Amino acid sequence: MRQKLTKLSLAVISITYNWLVGIVCVFLPKSYRYKNVKNEIVLITGGGSGIGQQMAVRFAALGAKVVIWDINERGMRQTNALVKKQFPTANVFCYCCDVSKYENVYEMAKKVKQDVGIVTILINNAGMVNGKLLKDLDEKAIIRTMDVNFLAHFWTCKAFLPDMMATNHGHIVTIGSIAGLTGAPRMSDYSASKHATIGFEESLRYELKAEGYTGIHSTIVCPYFINTGMFHGARSDVLPFIDTDFVVDKIISAILINQEVLFIPKFMYFLYVLKSIMPSRALYALFKSLGGEYSMNNFVGRNQCNENGRGI
Ligand SMILES: NC(=O)c1ccc[n+]([C@@H]2O[C@H](COP(=O)([O-])OP(=O)(O)OC[C@H]3O[C@@H](n4cnc5c(N)ncnc54)[C@H](O)[C@@H]3O)[C@@H](O)[C@H]2O)c1
């Protein structure tokens, strides 16, 4: 009994202490806590477009070596040109890699290790969306969504984590989505893949902590609609689409301070709490009032947006 009480007291002290540290950190200027990523090797999947492309530019500006993986060769050339225009001496390495295929991931990981070195920051960002009702989704499309948005995270982590573990140094960044916290019509496959991704990331984070890898950090990012063009045609009546640069600023800042969970915009933390305490009828009324029911009705996606992906 005494042992149990001691254990319980220690747990309460630890929770309170860590809660307080969390609160203090919110008020500290973030830039004081930034880590140095100069010469770190950052691999960004889906870096040929959208937020992946902009993250490549930011990491190059911070002096990191940037590796891009994408299936879009033209996009990768564009990323390379963007970085080189601003930072002519920056190191950018582009590889055509379909992250949904584990053989391709392992082969390209070997190549990156030979050509560039050991990846220390892995950003799992590649993603796709179909935007269809379940009855219109064919099996191949569903499997593809799960392969790209979810299973690919297993393959890239299995490829790069062992090297991070060997030196107890690294950072895994997972680009999830608010759709990984809530469902919506025409998002069954996308939302399922993002929910799964969030579960994967949290389990891996706890696994690394439990195994004592104090030097391997992780960040899960859950943004609302961003104006990259991926969700071209979707409507958001109450909350505006978020600007790509704003999202990328927040992500980079979170990585530099080893922040573990990032929802964008901040309002989403509040909605997340509401979701856990509201009766489901009231929650649906809230979802409707935010325009969630019809937000994807006119979705056309990336096919219909302009060259820069700024379709919205
Ligand atoms: N745009 C949004 O509104 C939004 C909102 C929340 C989360 N997200 C997530 O952010 C991430 C980036 O989205 P974005 O808006 O920059 O989209 P984007 O379409 O601009 O970029 C996605 C990139 O992933 C690449 N890609 C797709 N399949 C791939 C594969 N099999 N292998 C390698 N690369 C592949 C694409 O070619 C593209 O370059 C995605 O994971 C997306 O789900 C986006």
Side-chain angles (χ1 to χ4, degrees):
M1 184 68 182
R2 223 178 123 179
Q3 237 182 356
K4 269 190 185 165
L5 269 178
T6 318
K7 235 179 156 181
L8 187 70
S9 317
L10 284 175
V12 171
I13 291 169
S14 169
I15 294 166
T16 314
Y17 169 76
N18 284 292
W19 200 321
L20 286 174
V21 170
I23 293 171
V24 170
C25 284
V26 170
F27 294 104
L28 279 179
K30 283 188 179 155
S31 53
Y32 286 175
R33 297 156 58 205
Y34 280 175
K35 64 183 177 188
N36 186 357
V37 292
K38 197 166 188 239
N39 293 325
E40 297 282 344
I41 300 179
V42 184
L43 187 143
I44 307 170
T45 70
S49 165
I51 57 174
Q53 186 166 70
Q54 292 308 317
M55 284 192 282
V57 177
R58 303 297 172 87
F59 273 109
L62 293 168
K65 293 180 187 167
V66 179
V67 181
I68 304 294
W69 278 7
D70 208 301
I71 45 172
N72 176 357
E73 285 193 44
R74 201 168 60 145
M76 285 195 287
R77 276 198 295 276
Q78 202 182 40
T79 305
N80 190 30
L82 260 178
V83 173
K84 287 283 162 64
K85 196 173 154 200
Q86 294 184 48
F87 312 101
T89 55
N91 289 299
V92 187
F93 304 83
C94 299
Y95 298 85
C96 201
C97 179
D98 184 341
V99 293
S100 69
K101 299 193 163 60
Y102 63 82
E103 304 93 334
N104 201 192
V105 168
Y106 298 155
E107 185 194 339
M108 287 301 143
K110 240 189 206 167
K111 222 169 156 9
V112 169
K113 200 167 166 176
Q114 280 162 9
D115 298 351
V116 194
I118 288 172
V119 169
T120 49
I121 302 179
L122 167 65
I123 307 185
N124 279 315
N125 164 73
M128 55 157 292
V129 58
N130 290 306
K132 290 185 181 170
L133 296 170
L134 179 65
K135 66 180 173 65
D136 300 326
L137 271 172
D138 65 44
E139 287 72 13
K140 280 193 179 143
I142 296 169
I143 291 170
R144 180 86 186 145
T145 306
M146 296 308 280
D147 278 345
V148 175
N149 293 1
F150 169 49
L151 286 173
H153 295 232
F154 279 91
W155 319 141
T156 55
C157 287
K158 280 182 77 65
F160 296 113
L161 252 183
D163 285 330
M164 296 186 192
M165 286 170 159
T167 51
N168 191 23
H169 174 75
H171 200 137
I172 310 274
V173 182
T174 305
I175 307 299
S177 168
I178 292 299
L181 307 171
T182 181
R186 295 173 196 264
M187 297 276 258
S188 58
D189 56 337
Y190 184 79
S191 184
S193 71
K194 293 294 183 180
H195 272 78
T197 300
I198 291 171
F200 166 76
E201 191 278 342
E202 192 168 69
S203 300
L204 181 62
R205 179 166 11 116
Y206 291 167
E207 195 169 297
L208 290 169
K209 283 181 198 281
E211 295 285 305
Y213 291 105
T214 49
I216 305 180
H217 303 281
S218 65
T219 302
I220 174 85
V221 182
C222 296
Y224 184 64
F225 284 135
I226 315 164
N227 65 0
T228 57
M230 184 183 191
F231 280 91
H232 183 46
R235 243 178 61 188
S236 179
D237 293 341
V238 180
L239 298 170
F241 268 65
I242 327 169
D243 188 54
T244 307
D245 289 337
F246 177 82
V247 172
V248 173
D249 278 348
K250 294 282 171 207
I251 297 174
I252 299 290
S253 172
I255 296 171
L256 294 181
I257 61 170
N258 296 326
Q259 183 175 334
E260 290 179 342
V261 180
L262 173 68
F263 294 176
I264 313 171
K266 273 203 176 102
F267 180 61
M268 292 300 163
Y269 291 100
F270 176 62
L271 286 187
Y272 189 56
V273 174
L274 277 189
K275 187 180 171 177
S276 351
I277 56 173
M278 277 172 96
S280 69
R281 291 168 67 109
L283 190 64
Y284 189 66
L286 173 68
F287 179 74
K288 253 172 95 166
S289 67
L290 291 173
E293 265 189 327
Y294 306 112
S295 65
M296 289 291 284
N297 276 19
N298 296 318
F299 166 84
V300 280
R302 191 154 274 299
N303 297 337
Q304 302 277 323
C305 52
N306 66 29
E307 271 281 284
N308 302 319
R310 306 257 171 184
I312 292 145

